[in-house]
Amino acid sequence: MTTSNRQRPIRLGTRRSALAQAQSGHVATALEKISGRKVELIPIVSEGDTNRASLSEIGGMGIFATRLREALLNGECDILVHSLKDLPTAEPDGLVIAATPVREDARDVVLSRDGTPLHELRPGAKVGTGSPRRIAQVRRHAPRAEVVDIRGNIGSRMGRVESGELDAVILAAAGLSRIGSEVTLAREELDLAEWPTAPGQGSLAVETTADAPAELLAALAELDDEATRLAITVERGVLEGLEAGCQAPMAAHAVVTGESVRVRTVVYAPEGERRIGLDVTEPLRRGYIRLNGSGNGADAADGADPNHAAREIGLSVARRLLDQGAAGLVSREQS
C-alpha cells in the first residue's frame, strides 16, 4: 500500500438509519485502532429505506444490501457494515465477508408500557412487528393479541407504544444496545430456547471486495471472531437449505462450545398454528474444525475449511427439516 493510500481514510458505506450509523461507528472506531487510519462513514440510501411497504410483501432479504453492494463494487466506498440477518446467503461475485465481530445479544425483546408479559396480554392487545417470523411467533405465543405490521426506526416504534397506539413492540436486543437510546418502556427478554431468532441476529458483517488491499484485509481479519463466524455460518446454512423449497418464517440460533455446535431451528406456518423444529448438537471434530486458527478460518487442520464444515452442518439440519415436512408449512403462492 502506498503512503498516500495509508493516509487516505477508509471509506465505510452504511445505511442512513440511526442504528446503521451506530453499528458502523462501532466498527469504524475499532478499525481505526487496528489500522492506524481514519475511517469515514459514507451514507448510502437503500431500497429498504425508501420503500415503506411491508417486509412480508417486498421481501426483507436483500432489500437493505443491494444498493450498498453496488456502491462497494463501483468504488464509492472501501467496506460495508451490514446487520448480518439482512444479507442473502449467496455472496455476490467479487465480494467477501471479511469479518464477523463478536456477536451481541441475539434475543428479541418485548417493550410495553406496563410490563405485562407477552403471553398474558389481554385479548385484542396490539403488538407491532414487521417480521414474518415474529408475526408467526406472536400468533403462537399470544394468540389473543392482534399483530400490527409496522415499519420504522427504533425510536418511532417505541413512540407508538408510549402514545398508546400499540400495547407492545418486539425489537432486537442488539439494536437497542448498539443505538444506546434511553428506554423508558418495560422490557421482557424472550428466551432463545422458546423464541429463537433470525439467522445472524445480533451479528454484524464487514464486507469488502475480494481484491481489496492485503493490508485492509489483514486489519479486518483482526475484527473477526471465529466462534461467531462458525455459529452464523451454521445458521445461514440452515436458511440456505430451506430457501430451495421453503419460504416460511424461520428461526435459527447456533452456539459454538468447545468442539461442538448446538443449533436450535424452527420453521413456522405463517399464522403460527404449526411449526417444525430441531434442537441438535453436532461435533466439531478435532482435526476437522479447529477453533484456535486465524480469524478468517484459513488455519484449519489438515486443510479442512471450518466455514465449509459449519455450512454443511446447517445444510444437513435444513434437509432434516424438509424431510419432516417443513416445505408443507407454506402455501403454494408463497413457495
Side-chain angles (χ1 to χ4, degrees):
M1 185 178 293
T2 65
T3 300
S4 60
N5 281 341
R6 289 195 185 97
Q7 294 173 345
R8 180 178 66 81
I10 298 170
R11 298 166 302 164
L12 190 163
T14 177
R15 292 172 54 209
R16 293 179 179 269
S17 72
L19 175 57
Q21 297 267 328
Q23 61 195 24
S24 293
H26 292 313
V27 171
T29 298
L31 185 56
E32 285 179 340
K33 292 179 181 179
I34 292 169
S35 67
R37 295 170 61 188
K38 179 177 175 57
V39 178
E40 176 185 359
L41 299 189
I42 306 295
I44 298 169
V45 178
S46 72
E47 179 188 354
D49 298 310
T50 57
N51 190 332
R52 306 315 299 169
S54 166
L55 290 180
S56 61
E57 295 177 1
I58 60 178
M61 194 60 68
I63 65 166
F64 298 112
T66 301
R67 171 65 187 101
L68 275 71
R69 284 173 157 174
E70 289 174 354
L72 181 58
L73 289 168
N74 291 338
E76 299 172 39
C77 54
D78 302 304
I79 63 173
L80 301 172
V81 172
H82 305 278
S83 292
L84 191 59
K85 65 183 178 67
D86 294 333
L87 286 186
T89 56
E91 185 77 2
D93 291 340
L95 299 182
V96 294
I97 295 177
T100 52
V102 174
R103 185 180 214 162
E104 290 223 26
D105 192 340
R107 293 177 298 178
D108 278 344
V109 298
V110 180
L111 299 181
S112 62
R113 287 186 303 280
D114 60 6
T116 301
L118 181 68
H119 69 280
E120 294 181 6
L121 287 175
R122 61 175 175 78
K126 294 181 178 180
V127 180
T129 178
S131 158
R133 186 245 328 154
R134 289 173 179 154
I135 290 171
Q137 289 174 316
V138 171
R139 287 172 173 164
R140 182 173 183 84
H141 290 270
R144 301 181 302 170
E146 175 187 346
V147 180
V148 179
D149 194 345
I150 63 170
R151 295 282 306 278
N153 60 36
I154 290 175
S156 68
R157 295 184 189 210
M158 291 193 298
R160 294 175 72 170
V161 178
E162 292 167 341
S163 70
E165 179 184 351
L166 299 173
D167 295 287
V169 292
I170 302 175
L171 301 172
L176 289 170
S177 173
R178 290 186 179 119
I179 204 169
S181 60
E182 182 178 351
V183 178
T184 58
L185 297 168
R187 174 172 173 151
E188 176 193 3
E189 282 88 4
L190 299 173
D191 186 78
L192 287 166
E194 291 299 321
W195 189 285
T197 50
Q201 181 158 315
S203 299
L204 299 178
V206 185
E207 193 171 43
T208 189
T209 55
D211 61 355
E215 291 87 347
L216 177 58
L217 291 171
L220 293 175
E222 292 193 43
L223 295 175
D224 195 74
D225 178 70
E226 191 170 20
T228 296
R229 180 181 283 268
L230 289 173
I232 61 93
T233 300
V234 172
E235 295 166 14
R236 285 165 63 78
V238 178
L239 178 61
E240 179 185 351
L242 290 175
E243 282 182 334
C246 180
Q247 297 297 325
M250 61 84 63
H253 181 71
V255 177
V256 173
T257 304
E259 296 184 348
S260 66
V261 58
R262 180 177 181 178
V263 55
R264 162 75 170 165
T265 182
V266 182
V267 179
Y268 299 90
E271 297 300 318
E273 73 279 6
R274 291 184 58 213
R275 67 174 185 172
I276 294 174
L278 285 174
D279 187 349
V280 299
T281 299
E282 296 288 345
L284 301 177
R285 295 183 294 278
R286 187 176 298 278
Y288 186 43
I289 295 180
R290 192 171 67 195
L291 296 182
N292 59 354
S294 64
N296 62 12
D299 196 19
D302 301 329
D305 180 358
N307 297 306
H308 174 78
R311 174 175 172 266
E312 287 299 317
I313 290 173
L315 291 173
S316 174
V317 170
R319 286 191 292 269
R320 292 172 62 181
L321 288 167
L322 291 171
D323 288 344
Q324 293 183 26
L329 295 187
V330 288
S331 67
R332 183 166 299 173
E333 290 77 15
Q334 290 174 295
S335 299

